[in-house]
C-alpha cells in the first residue's frame, strides 16, 4: 500500500487505485480501498471518505478526504461550487474503429443512468432524468489496433467517459459492458486516471497536483510516454 500513496497530508490523500478495487460500497469479494486505507493508517473506518468515485475496473488517482471539513471543501470543488476548480486527466486505450476519428475535440451529451444494471447511456438531447456531461479528448498516438487517447473530464457523471465514447462508436479496451470486443486478462479496462489537480483543503488558495503511472506498465501503457 505504501508505494501506491501518491500524496498525503492531515486533510487528504491520493492513492493509485488498482483495477478490481472499489473506493466504497463494495460487493462481496471486492476490496474496499477506503477501508483498507483506514486499517493501514490505524484510523476508524468512517474517517477515510472517497471524494470522487473511480469505477471498479478503472485505475489511477483516487482522492480521499481525512477530515469532515476537507470532505466538504473537496466535494464542493468536484461539484463546481464556490469557484473551486479541479482538473481530471485520464488516459484510455481505444479499440481502433473502422471509420476515421477526429484528432481532438469536445464531446457533450446528456447522461441517463440505469441503476438496476449499473450502466449509463449518453444521448444527444436533454430529457427528464438526464444530466449534462462534457469531456475534451486528444488522440496522442495510434497503433495497428488501438488509439491512445488523453481525456480531460469536464464533468463527473456515472461511467461518463465509457458511455460518451460508446455513443461515438469508440470502445475502451476490455470494457465489455460498453461494447469492447474482448475482456482484459486482468479483469480491468484500459482507462486510467492519470492526474488530478485540486484545492488544498489546508489552504484553498493553493492547489495540489498528483500524477499516477498505470499500476502495471506494459507495452500498451508505455505508448503514452513515447
Amino acid at each position: 500500500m505504501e508505494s501506491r500513496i501518491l500524496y498525503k497530508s492531515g486533510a487528504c490523500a491520493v492513492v493509485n487505485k488498482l483495477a478490481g478495487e472499489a473506493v466504497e460500497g463494495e460487493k462481496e469479494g471486492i476490496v474496499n480501498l477506503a477501508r483498507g486505507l483506514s486499517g493501514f493508517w490505524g484510523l476508524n473506518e468512517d474517517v477515510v471518505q472517497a471524494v470522487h468515485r473511480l469505477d471498479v475496473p478503472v485505475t489511477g488517482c483516487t482522492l480521499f478526504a481525512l477530515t469532515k471539513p476537507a470532505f466538504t471543501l473537496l466535494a464542493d470543488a468536484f461539484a463546481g461550487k464556490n469557484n473551486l476548480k479541479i482538473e481530471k486527466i485520464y488516459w484510455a486505450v481505444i479499440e481502433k474503429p473502422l471509420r476515421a476519428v477526429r484528432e481532438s475535440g469536445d464531446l457533450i451529451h446528456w447522461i441517463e443512468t440505469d441503476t438496476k444494471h449499473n450502466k449509463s447511456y449518453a444521448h444527444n438531447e436533454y430529457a427528464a432524468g438526464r444530466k449534462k456531461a462534457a469531456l475534451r479528448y486528444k488522440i496522442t498516438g495510434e497503433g495497428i489496433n488501438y488509439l491512445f487517447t488523453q481525456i480531460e473530464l469536464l464533468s463527473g457523471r456515472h461511467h461518463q467517459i465509457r458511455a460518451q465514447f460508446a455513443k461515438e462508436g469508440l470502445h475502451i479496451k476490455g470494457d465489455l459492458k460498453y461494447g469492447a470486443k474482448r475482456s482484459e486478462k486482468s479483469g480491468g479496462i484500459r482507462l486510467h486516471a492519470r492526474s488530478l489537480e485540486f484545492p488544498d483543503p489546508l489552504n484553498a488558495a493553493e492547489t495540489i497536483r498528483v500524477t499516477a503511472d498505470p499500476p502495471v506498465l506494459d507495452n500498451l501503457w508505455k505508448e503514452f510516454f513515447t
Side-chain angles (χ1 to χ4, degrees):
M1 184 69 78
E2 184 68 38
S3 65
R4 294 201 281 137
I5 298 170
L6 305 172
Y7 173 85
K8 185 175 184 294
S9 71
C12 65
V14 181
V15 177
N16 196 357
K17 178 186 169 303
L18 303 179
E21 292 179 327
V23 296
E24 63 178 12
E26 83 289 358
K27 296 180 180 178
E28 185 177 353
I30 297 179
V31 172
N32 182 307
L33 185 52
R35 185 178 299 134
L37 290 169
S38 297
F40 182 73
W41 289 322
L43 302 172
N44 292 331
E45 285 191 7
D46 60 349
V47 172
V48 181
Q49 299 182 73
V51 178
H52 68 134
R53 294 160 181 82
L54 293 186
D55 303 336
V56 170
V58 177
T59 61
C61 292
T62 310
L63 177 61
F64 295 90
L66 305 181
T67 68
K68 290 182 179 179
F71 179 81
T72 299
L73 182 141
L74 293 170
D76 284 348
F78 274 80
K81 298 179 180 178
N82 303 325
N83 293 317
L84 297 170
K85 296 182 179 180
I86 60 170
E87 182 188 74
K88 298 171 283 185
I89 302 296
Y90 288 73
W91 284 351
V93 179
I94 306 296
E95 293 178 349
K96 198 170 183 178
L98 296 177
R99 64 175 179 82
V101 179
R102 283 196 305 164
E103 183 178 328
S104 62
D106 291 359
L107 297 182
I108 299 176
H109 295 99
W110 297 89
I111 295 284
E112 180 179 16
T113 300
D114 179 349
T115 55
K116 182 179 179 179
H117 297 97
N118 189 32
K119 188 172 181 179
S120 292
Y121 298 88
H123 302 274
N124 292 325
E125 61 286 321
Y126 170 79
R130 298 176 185 174
K131 297 180 179 180
K132 189 175 182 180
L135 62 80
R136 181 169 294 128
Y137 76 90
K138 180 179 180 179
I139 296 173
T140 60
E142 181 176 344
I144 296 174
N145 298 311
Y146 303 106
L147 299 177
F148 304 97
T149 310
Q150 180 169 292
I151 303 136
E152 180 180 1
L153 197 57
L154 303 175
S155 55
R157 307 303 180 197
H158 183 69
H159 292 186
Q160 180 182 329
I161 296 173
R162 301 163 70 185
Q164 285 195 272
F165 273 21
K167 175 65 175 177
E168 298 297 312
L170 302 173
H171 307 293
I172 296 169
K173 187 176 187 297
D175 197 359
L176 297 180
K177 176 170 280 192
Y178 287 91
K181 294 177 183 177
R182 58 184 62 86
S183 62
E184 285 272 275
K185 292 180 180 179
S186 67
I189 64 175
R190 291 286 176 154
L191 181 60
H192 176 73
R194 169 61 172 168
S195 68
L196 187 61
E197 185 171 335
F198 55 94
D200 185 350
L202 301 177
N203 180 3
E206 300 292 330
T207 59
I208 297 166
R209 183 178 180 86
V210 182
T211 300
D213 287 342
V216 179
L217 199 56
D218 61 10
N219 288 335
L220 279 180
W221 285 127
K222 286 178 182 178
E223 288 292 329
F224 285 88
F225 296 94
T226 60

